[in-house]
């Protein structure tokens, strides 16, 4: 995306063709996995937003240059619905605390920031109203000693490496930045 979006005008036709060739192989693999169907696309877990983000960056960058791009964008947005119910009604993220929640949320946030200016609408597949409860749940998992509670697939760790928990309390649904 950096090469295609930012540095595009500084690159020559040969560079453009090479970038599309290399990234196109990965896009073909994504579409093949979509139509198989392959578990990597259809498991719905925290990797779903990661994969969707990567291909959606490509699809938006090449939307008018490559016939596959509109379909890739549609398929990425479609698969995000598989992740919708990983944020439960009480705010619990069903894969566990630590990196699973951060991987999911940070990528959903970036995806939303990507689709807002590109398509003029937020991600409807995300239950944005549940994320404030998820922030509370994440903060409740920090014990008085500053370590997160060692539970399930999560492990004891000192605090957070990012601001996921406080950010979850924000209203990102209609933000385009």
């Amino acid at each position: 995306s950096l090469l295609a979006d930012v540095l595009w005008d500084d690159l020559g036709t040969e560079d453009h063709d090479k970038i599309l060739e290399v990234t196109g192989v990965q896009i073909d693999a994504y579409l093949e996995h979509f139509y198989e169907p392959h578990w990597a696309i259809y498991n719905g877990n925290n990797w779903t937003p990661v994969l969707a983000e990567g291909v959606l960056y490509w699809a938006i960058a090449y939307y008018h240059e490559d016939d596959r791009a509109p379909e890739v964008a549609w398929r990425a947005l479609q698969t995000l619905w598989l992740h919708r119910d990983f944020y439960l009604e009480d705010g619990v993220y069903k894969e566990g605390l630590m990196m699973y929640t951060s991987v999911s949320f940070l990528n959903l946030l970036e995806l939303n920031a990507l689709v807002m200016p590109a398509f003029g609408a937020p991600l409807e597949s995300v239950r944005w109203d549940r994320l404030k409860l998820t922030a509370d749940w994440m903060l409740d998992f920090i014990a008085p000693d500053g370590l997160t509670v060692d539970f399930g697939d999560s492990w004891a760790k000192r605090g957070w490496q990012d601001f996921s928990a406080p950010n979850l309390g924000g209203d990102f649904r209609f933000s385009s930045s």
Side-chain angles (χ1 to χ4, degrees), residues 31-43:
L31 288 172
E32 183 179 322
H33 281 19
F34 181 86
Y35 286 112
E36 277 181 17
H38 192 276
W39 69 268
I41 304 293
Y42 287 94
N43 64 20

Side-chain angles (χ1 to χ4, degrees), residues 49-86:
V50 174
L51 295 174
E53 182 182 8
V55 297
L56 199 54
Y57 271 116
W58 181 91
I60 290 171
Y62 287 101
Y63 203 82
H64 299 289
E65 289 77 26
D66 191 298
D67 292 341
R68 297 170 292 181
E71 179 185 3
V72 169
W74 176 249
R75 299 304 175 213
L77 294 171
Q78 184 180 6
T79 59
L80 285 172
W81 286 90
L82 300 171
H83 192 64
R84 180 178 176 84
D85 292 323
F86 275 64

Side-chain angles (χ1 to χ4, degrees), residues 9-164:
D9 293 336
D10 296 328
L11 302 173
T13 304
E14 186 177 311
D15 296 320
H16 294 173
D17 294 344
K18 185 64 175 175
I19 293 167
L20 183 56
E21 176 188 336
V22 171
T23 59
V25 170
Q26 299 303 314
I27 291 303
D28 288 340
Y30 175 82
L31 288 172
E32 183 179 322
H33 281 19
F34 181 86
Y35 286 112
E36 277 181 17
H38 192 276
W39 69 268
I41 304 293
Y42 287 94
N43 64 20
N45 73 5
N46 66 86
W47 278 99
T48 300
V50 174
L51 295 174
E53 182 182 8
V55 297
L56 199 54
Y57 271 116
W58 181 91
I60 290 171
Y62 287 101
Y63 203 82
H64 299 289
E65 289 77 26
D66 191 298
D67 292 341
R68 297 170 292 181
E71 179 185 3
V72 169
W74 176 249
R75 299 304 175 213
L77 294 171
Q78 184 180 6
T79 59
L80 285 172
W81 286 90
L82 300 171
H83 192 64
R84 180 178 176 84
D85 292 323
F86 275 64
Y87 291 90
L88 305 180
E89 288 181 35
D90 59 359
V92 171
Y93 182 72
K94 77 180 195 177
E95 285 189 279
L97 181 64
M98 291 312 296
M99 298 315 297
Y100 305 110
T101 309
S102 295
V103 167
S104 168
F105 169 70
L106 294 175
N107 283 281
L108 290 173
L109 185 59
E110 289 180 24
L111 278 160
N112 197 57
L114 184 63
V115 301
M116 285 292 294
F119 302 123
L123 290 175
E124 293 297 328
S125 57
V126 178
R127 296 184 186 271
W128 297 106
D129 57 317
R130 294 184 180 182
L131 295 181
K132 291 181 185 191
L133 294 172
T134 302
D136 293 340
W137 171 73
M138 290 171 74
L139 294 174
D140 286 345
F141 258 83
I142 298 177
D145 63 0
L147 294 176
T148 55
V149 176
D150 189 4
F151 178 76
D153 279 350
S154 297
W155 56 90
K157 179 182 173 194
R158 182 152 313 279
W160 300 99
Q161 70 181 16
D162 56 39
F163 293 104
S164 296

